[in-house]
DNA sequence: ATAAATTTAATTGCAGGCAATTAAACTTTA
DNA sequence: TAAAGTTTAATTGCCTGCAATTAAATTTAT
């Protein structure tokens, strides 16, 4: 049995022995797998750039929103990022420990927690300024291909959520 | 400040207050985020179907390969799934505990661990037969759109790995 | 043949994700 | 207004992912 790496699909040969009975049950016929793998590999591509700043990929996503809006509730962050408090609460606590963000109850609605930028978190925006360009480079997509893919993924996301 | 959910991009309005200085530092201009979110949402869409069978999404991916090839080394699984032993070893141990797979050293190369299907794991193939169709339904993509997206993601994956 | 280098899994430690539950604050309803 | 229902975060417990290290087996180079 010869298995070729998933990264050279053109060189991928059929398995010599009994194939899967259900042709839809093949990894290389799935949409889910390239989506899953590409997402992880893209996150990994961010890693070296983000590591310099001491932050992780989901923390970076939180910052993208905070840099834009200055402050957001946990609920708003969750709506934008499609993450729940089980993920966000501990993540935000780690960001709070680093003095990047503040967390306080909304006085007008004590159920809500408002997450705001602290100076150190604000300063990170400049230092992270080169990150998008670096990644765009790595992707090596034309603007049109980039936008087309972004749009398809956005549609898929809308369909799934 | 009004924030619209990420799922209604058409209704997304510009923030009323000071926008991000760097236009590339906006969540809705990124490719990374829809990829990241779509991947998680698609995994979540598998969840109810896989839960009936007692398996998780990455375990399902391992099964897709094992159903096709009967047995693979940890290294081969890692090459196909782009996962390392730090992820695979504990995952495979859990699958072993459920008597779905066997793990044994290759007698011809004691460094390698061969993962093989046990009867209970083999039986799961039939029971999981409907999963791809269910998901295809949920995606609501034409075959052409499905294939186009799959191809683009595969290309992205190749570029990133 | 043996020392050095490489390959393969396992281990450790940390940070997500997420389902399910809990608790508190607020809103709606009777 | 009191009770019931809803909303919002936090918590718990489990399963990934992944970087870094370790240990054993194998291969390569000397």
């Amino acid at each position: 049995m010869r298995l070729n790496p998933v990264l050279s699909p053109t060189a991928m040969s059929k398995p010599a022995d009994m194939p899967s009975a259900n042709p839809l049950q093949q990894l290389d016929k799935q949409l889910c797998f390239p989506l899953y793998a590409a997402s992880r590999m893209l996150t990994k591509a961010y890693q070296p750039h983000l590591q310099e700043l001491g932050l992780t990929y989901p923390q970076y996503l939180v910052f993208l929103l905070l840099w834009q809006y200055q402050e957001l509730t946990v609920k708003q962050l969750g709506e934008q990022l499609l993450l729940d408090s089980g993920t966000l609460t501990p993540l935000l606590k780690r960001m709070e420990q680093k003095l990047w963000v503040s967390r306080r109850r909304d006085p007008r609605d004590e159920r809500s927690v408002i997450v705001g930028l602290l100076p150190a978190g604000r300063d990170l925006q400049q230092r992270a300024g080169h990150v998008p360009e670096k990644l765009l480079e790595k992707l090596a997509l034309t603007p049109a291909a980039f936008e087309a893919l972004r749009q398809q993924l956005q549609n898929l996301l809308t369909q799934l959520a």
Side-chain angles (χ1 to χ4, degrees), chain A:
Chain A
M1 164 181 33
R2 271 181 56 251
L3 266 193
N4 302 90
V6 80
L7 298 177
S8 313
T10 51
M12 189 65 146
S13 63
K14 292 221 177 59
D17 39 306
M18 174 188 5
S20 193
N22 184 346
L24 289 178
Q25 281 181 319
Q26 286 184 267
L27 194 61
D28 58 333
K29 299 297 188 326
Q30 307 287 321
L31 185 61
C32 64
F33 175 67
L35 190 60
Y36 160 81
S39 173
R40 286 186 297 113
M41 292 305 106
L42 186 51
T43 298
K44 205 180 289 192
Y46 275 89
Q47 225 278 324
H49 306 289
L50 298 181
Q51 184 165 28
E52 289 177 16
L53 309 176
L55 44 80
T56 65
Y57 178 70
Q59 289 170 5
Y60 174 68
L61 295 181
V62 168
F63 267 128
L64 288 183
L65 286 168
L66 287 180
W67 290 332
Q68 187 164 6
Y69 296 102
Q70 282 79 62
E71 59 179 36
L72 292 167
T73 64
V74 172
K75 177 180 167 56
Q76 288 173 316
L77 285 169
E79 283 171 356
Q80 294 294 309
L81 300 177
L82 304 181
L83 292 171
D84 71 7
S85 66
T87 300
L88 286 174
T89 296
L91 184 155
L92 292 168
K93 282 182 176 175
R94 283 188 287 271
M95 295 177 76
E96 188 182 34
Q97 280 195 324
K98 298 199 171 196
L99 302 182
W100 286 337
V101 302
S102 59
R103 296 183 327 123
R104 61 186 195 285
R105 293 279 165 181
D106 183 342
R108 290 172 309 178
D109 184 343
E110 291 280 345
R111 288 172 304 181
S112 296
V113 167
I114 298 174
V115 181
L117 279 173
L118 293 180
R122 235 180 275 277
D123 292 348
L124 273 177
Q125 181 172 16
Q126 310 307 322
R127 299 180 56 207
H130 68 290
V131 173
E133 284 92 335
K134 290 287 185 188
L135 262 290
L136 278 176
E137 246 174 70
K138 183 122 190 172
L139 292 181
L141 291 174
T142 65
F146 178 94
E147 188 47 31
L149 184 51
R150 203 184 60 71
Q151 194 50 246
Q152 285 173 84
L153 289 171
Q154 181 65 61
N155 293 344
L156 191 65
L157 192 52
T158 304
Q159 180 65 30
L160 286 173

